[in-house]
Amino acid sequence: MGAAPAWAAPDVDAPAVVVIAPTGDAATAAEVAAAVTATGLVVLDGPAAQVLRGRALDDLAAERALAEAQDGFGQLDCGRARPAAETAVRLLAGRAAAGLDERARLTRAWSYLVLCADKDGDGPVARLAAAQLRGLGDAAAMTADLQARYPDIDAHLDRDIVPVTIAGPAGGVATVDDRVVGPVPATAYLAAGKHLVAVASGATRGAAFITVLGRPLAVTVEAPALDDAVTAPAVAAMAAWAGGARVDSASVGRVLADLDVELAAVVQPRGALTLWHRQRGATARIASGAPPAIAAAARGAYDAAHERAPAPDDPLLRDPPRRRSTKATGERTTWWVYAAIGGALVAGTVAIFAADAGPDRQRFVLDVP
């Protein structure tokens, strides 16, 4: 996975509003987004928006990995599908260790992995994947041929059992092959072969594939380095708000500056809505209320800040009013009018003389009424 952000800021011609729901109130966030879009403004969408509406980075990364695995497998390209499936398994196992229900997505990821590992002739990984699918209650995801090649046998039969010490984030809980071992540091007694070890401590979670041989092993599980769907200040603000920190102009301003967006609609606890506007480096709360009111205020704030251009049908230039004729009014002509005419006559005389004195003689007649 590359380091480039997974989203692009809208063009200047498409002003953006970001809808933030640190409490994860997706329904209210969607209602606000629809109301804002109806005014003609663009609501920031994509991974960044999903994070700001309460979706975790590892959740999004797992979704992208699963999509890559599916596409690769559909193209019969296990060179793409297998690494993506392994990434998805690690991310989802970490989330499952945190108590999140990832059975459906883990079933998909393990299915791609057992098929590709079998194709690659990697028996240990295919055997682990087959065992995990049975543990998830979805052995039907494998063909009868695969089930026969990787049967459900006693994992401890004729295999060395060795102690494996598992470390990870402070306060974390360890799992091995989706079975809880206990708080870290934890010790599990495992049979030789491939295993998946995960540790979760709240939102800090990760997993790793390990190979157990015939001797004790120590493993440290760390949270994976993920593509930032949003950058550090926005992530930090979101974490603080989710933890109960006050939503204020300084913290909202950091998010808006980080995303290069001008307006933010924030869904606060119990469905309260506020609208914030960042202009010339300063951020202020400019409205609160129901989604339609927030949307109208956002449209008004943007229009006022950008002084919308005149309508295309309005003429941009108008002819100046014509002066009344002095002959008709009898008004006296001011001295500077005569001076201007005199200057023009002198300039004309010089031009005529220069032309008449040249080698190609031509005659110019200046007829002044």
Side-chain angles (χ1 to χ4, degrees):
M1 300 174 72
W7 66 281
D11 295 334
V12 175
D13 291 338
V17 180
V18 60
V19 178
I20 305 173
T23 58
D25 187 349
T28 303
E31 187 179 355
V32 176
V36 170
T37 301
T39 70
L41 294 178
V42 173
V43 174
L44 184 67
D45 206 352
Q50 293 182 56
V51 170
L52 292 172
R53 295 175 197 175
R55 196 168 180 189
L57 288 173
D58 60 352
D59 181 12
L60 294 169
E63 196 67 31
R64 291 197 297 270
L66 271 177
E68 174 71 6
Q70 178 178 346
D71 188 61
F73 191 79
Q75 299 295 323
L76 303 179
D77 184 359
C78 277
R80 284 176 54 206
R82 179 172 172 175
E86 290 176 349
T87 296
V89 163
R90 289 195 300 269
L91 292 166
L92 295 169
R95 291 175 58 79
L100 301 170
D101 184 1
E102 291 291 358
R103 287 173 295 180
R105 292 199 293 182
L106 275 169
T107 296
R108 289 174 56 202
W110 283 119
S111 298
Y112 295 129
L113 193 50
V114 70
L115 290 165
C116 283
D118 177 68
K119 179 178 179 296
D120 294 342
D122 189 343
V125 170
R127 190 172 296 110
L128 171 63
Q132 292 305 300
L133 285 170
R134 290 190 180 95
L136 290 165
D138 205 345
M142 295 183 289
T143 63
D145 186 43
L146 277 175
Q147 294 190 51
R149 262 200 301 281
Y150 307 105
D152 186 12
I153 60 174
D154 186 344
H156 298 81
L157 186 64
D158 296 329
R159 298 170 73 186
D160 294 330
I161 305 299
V162 298
V164 176
T165 304
I166 304 166
V173 173
T175 67
V176 176
D177 300 337
D178 204 29
R179 293 188 299 273
V180 176
V181 177
V184 294
T187 300
Y189 293 88
L190 304 178
K194 282 282 187 181
H195 297 275
L196 180 66
V197 178
V199 177
S201 177
T204 304
R205 50 216 177 204
F209 288 100
I210 64 170
T211 300
V212 176
L213 301 175
R215 58 183 179 272
L217 179 66
V219 179
T220 298
V221 179
E222 299 177 347
L226 302 173
D227 283 350
D228 286 344
V230 291
T231 50
V235 171
M238 285 293 298
W241 292 338
R246 182 169 173 264
V247 178
D248 57 17
S249 59
S251 57
V252 177
R254 283 193 293 272
V255 173
L256 290 174
D258 198 30
L259 300 178
D260 194 22
V261 177
E262 186 174 321
L263 291 153
V266 181
V267 184
Q268 295 181 260
R270 295 178 295 279
L273 293 173
T274 54
L275 180 69
W276 303 77
H277 189 198
R278 180 175 178 270
Q279 193 175 19
R280 292 187 291 276
T283 301
R285 187 176 72 179
I286 59 173
S288 60
I294 292 294
R299 179 79 254 185
Y302 180 81
D303 290 347
H306 293 267
E307 298 179 354
R308 297 179 69 189
D313 295 334
D314 288 348
L316 296 179
L317 297 175
R318 298 180 184 276
D319 292 330
R322 296 182 179 276
R323 292 181 56 85
R324 290 175 298 168
S325 169
T326 56
K327 291 182 180 179
T329 60
E331 294 177 0
R332 298 183 59 186
T333 304
T334 54
W335 66 270
W336 54 264
V337 174
Y338 291 113
I341 293 174
L345 290 174
V346 170
T349 302
V350 173
I352 291 169
F353 174 78
D356 195 52
D360 296 328
R361 298 175 63 86
Q362 299 184 48
R363 180 175 180 79
F364 293 84
V365 178
L366 178 63
D367 185 9
V368 179

